[in-house]
Amino acid sequence: MNSQTHTLKSPSPGVAFQLVSHHFGAPVEGGGRKIYIQAGLHADEIPAMLVAVTLRDHLVRLEAQGRLRAEVVLVSAANPIGMAQGVLGNFVGRFELASGRNFNRDFPMLAQEIERAVAGQLTSDPQENVRRIRAAWRDALLARSPASAFASLQQTLMLLAHDADFVLDLHCSREAGMHLYTGDAIWQEVEPLARYLGATASLLALDSGAYSFDEAHSFTWYQLQQSLGERFPIPSGSIAVTVEHRGQRDVSDDLAQADAQALLHYLTYVGAIEGEAPPLPPLRQPATPLAGSEQLVAATTGMLVYRARVGDVVEPGQPLFDIVDPVSGERTTVASGSQGVFYMGRDTRFVRPGDQIGRVSGSQARRTGNLLGP
């Protein structure tokens, strides 16, 4: 294992943020494949970071055994800015307090810049085209001058990941079953991962409108395929996935070990680790469009009482929550409007009007615009 330290732009005198990446196996410059895994981009999502730390121990062992068939870059704490934030004893890692920006939104989308840079350079060799696109991508990232620590973090993470064949961004939700987000165009390559993880839901979108970290990779390749693919062979150069490791309170060594093993099974399945992957488990639920996900919102103030379990398959009209008025005791029932998986809930049991309280997957697209929300 080779660990590298990356210093981010300082937000003020006397303050320094550093990001650490752990590198395993032969570098991609040697012509091999590359796997990039990060956790904690939302710095308060602890289950993902515990999975990454657990995975690190396995990778050390696999490297010593000579079983790695790809370079693996692991960033187990991807957001030192967010890890330093707190308000009145509460950990605030999803948004940058200085700007209010979500750490996993608005990553640079550089398809047009890359396309201009590779004009006249592409060939009939798909792998050579991938190499040239990645070189142009790196140049485009380096040409940007980060104006803030936030932008510096985004640039550093993209430079570490842009040339990876597989990008796994590990997260968790507030209260949830295991689920993942990925692109429509690459679902076939991602489906085995959903099987190994036992995902209760797999949400697909080409463009969620949020420019999250995984989309900054997969959607960029899709855009290049659409603009250049009729003239030049351009494969999907990055199979990028956001994995949601249940809810924020699901922190245990047993879960972390099980999830790390599932990720290792997938990496073995795609040939990044020498060995025979276990047979693919059944897919627990079919993939559904992210645009079909129903987002349930509180219409009143009160105590949130669950009437269904996260991970259940629910039907239209089925009660999911009661909101109990703390003065009158009046109950307002919130029911599902969709048939699908109740894959996400809310950990805080007191809500106000407008608070998001749950999500149900659905097979029919029903939303447009920013599909991920704040």
Side-chain angles (χ1 to χ4, degrees), residues 323-351:
I323 300 176
V324 184
D325 187 294
V327 177
S328 69
E330 181 181 354
R331 288 178 176 254
T332 300
T333 298
V334 180
S336 175
S338 307
Q339 192 282 333
V341 178
F342 175 32
Y343 68 91
M344 182 190 302
R346 183 180 179 88
D347 55 341
T348 304
R349 294 300 199 268
F350 192 86
V351 297

Side-chain angles (χ1 to χ4, degrees), residues 42 72-73 77 82 117 126 155 162 172 178 185 212 217 233 270 282 287 293 330:
H42 286 148
V72 181
V73 177
Q155 181 190 55
H162 75 283
C172 78
M178 172 71 75
S212 58
H217 295 85
V270 300
S293 171
E330 181 181 354

Side-chain angles (χ1 to χ4, degrees), residues 135-352:
W137 200 336
R138 178 178 175 81
D139 290 343
L141 287 167
L142 289 172
R144 303 170 73 89
S145 181
S148 64
F150 185 104
S152 176
L153 175 65
Q154 288 193 327
Q155 181 190 55
T156 302
L157 295 175
M158 289 295 295
L159 283 168
L160 284 167
H162 75 283
D163 58 350
D165 299 280
F166 292 84
V167 174
L168 306 181
D169 190 14
L170 311 186
H171 287 253
C172 78
S173 189
R174 302 185 70 170
E175 188 157 333
M178 172 71 75
H179 61 285
L180 55 82
Y181 300 94
T182 193
D184 285 281
I186 56 175
W187 169 239
Q188 183 176 352
E189 290 84 359
V190 175
E191 188 206 54
L193 176 61
R195 291 173 179 266
Y196 283 125
L197 287 168
T200 61
S202 301
L203 293 310
L204 309 184
L206 283 175
D207 176 14
S208 74
Y211 303 147
S212 58
F213 185 77
D214 68 313
E215 277 189 350
H217 295 85
S218 60
F219 188 52
T220 296
W221 281 102
Y222 178 80
Q223 289 177 301
L224 292 171
Q225 288 171 330
Q226 295 305 298
S227 60
L228 300 170
E230 288 188 359
R231 291 172 289 160
F232 305 101
I234 300 176
S236 295
S238 178
I239 306 303
V241 190
T242 294
V243 179
E244 301 280 353
H245 293 269
R246 305 174 194 84
Q248 287 185 315
R249 296 176 181 174
D250 293 316
V251 182
S252 75
D253 284 330
D254 288 345
L255 287 174
Q257 284 288 355
D259 291 353
Q261 285 292 345
L263 294 174
L264 293 172
H265 292 335
Y266 179 63
L267 294 182
T268 304
Y269 179 86
V270 300
I273 297 173
E274 182 185 80
E276 184 174 348
L280 287 172
L283 187 65
R284 291 186 61 181
Q285 295 292 336
T288 56
L290 180 57
S293 171
E294 179 185 13
Q295 300 195 9
L296 302 168
V297 177
T300 186
T301 297
M303 298 167 283
L304 188 69
V305 179
Y306 277 65
R307 292 185 58 181
R309 294 179 302 176
V310 171
D312 284 352
V313 176
V314 298
E315 300 295 331
Q318 180 174 339
L320 301 182
F321 305 97
D322 282 344
I323 300 176
V324 184
D325 187 294
V327 177
S328 69
E330 181 181 354
R331 288 178 176 254
T332 300
T333 298
V334 180
S336 175
S338 307
Q339 192 282 333
V341 178
F342 175 32
Y343 68 91
M344 182 190 302
R346 183 180 179 88
D347 55 341
T348 304
R349 294 300 199 268
F350 192 86
V351 297
R352 297 177 178 86

Side-chain angles (χ1 to χ4, degrees), residues 32-152:
R33 304 166 79 195
K34 179 176 177 179
I35 312 296
Y36 177 82
I37 306 170
Q38 71 177 26
L41 179 55
H42 286 148
D44 52 1
E45 296 180 354
I46 310 306
M49 289 192 283
L50 185 59
V51 171
V53 169
T54 304
L55 193 60
R56 171 185 162 174
D57 294 339
H58 287 288
L59 290 170
V60 168
R61 173 179 54 80
L62 289 166
E63 184 178 48
Q65 293 172 349
R67 292 180 56 197
L68 294 181
R69 293 295 175 262
E71 178 187 13
V72 181
V73 177
L74 176 67
V75 180
S76 54
N79 186 355
I81 303 171
M83 290 184 71
Q85 294 183 156
V87 177
L88 300 177
N90 293 313
F91 193 4
V92 181
R94 182 177 182 85
F95 302 96
E96 185 192 39
L97 290 178
S99 66
R101 297 176 66 188
N102 187 316
F103 283 110
N104 193 26
R105 301 291 185 269
D106 300 318
F107 273 85
M109 306 298 290
L110 303 177
Q112 292 184 349
E113 293 177 43
I114 296 167
E115 182 178 349
R116 288 194 295 269
V118 298
Q121 296 184 13
L122 298 183
T123 71
S124 60
D125 182 344
Q127 293 309 311
E128 178 61 21
N129 291 339
V130 167
R131 189 191 67 79
R132 295 186 182 191
I133 287 170
R134 287 172 174 168
W137 200 336
R138 178 178 175 81
D139 290 343
L141 287 167
L142 289 172
R144 303 170 73 89
S145 181
S148 64
F150 185 104
S152 176

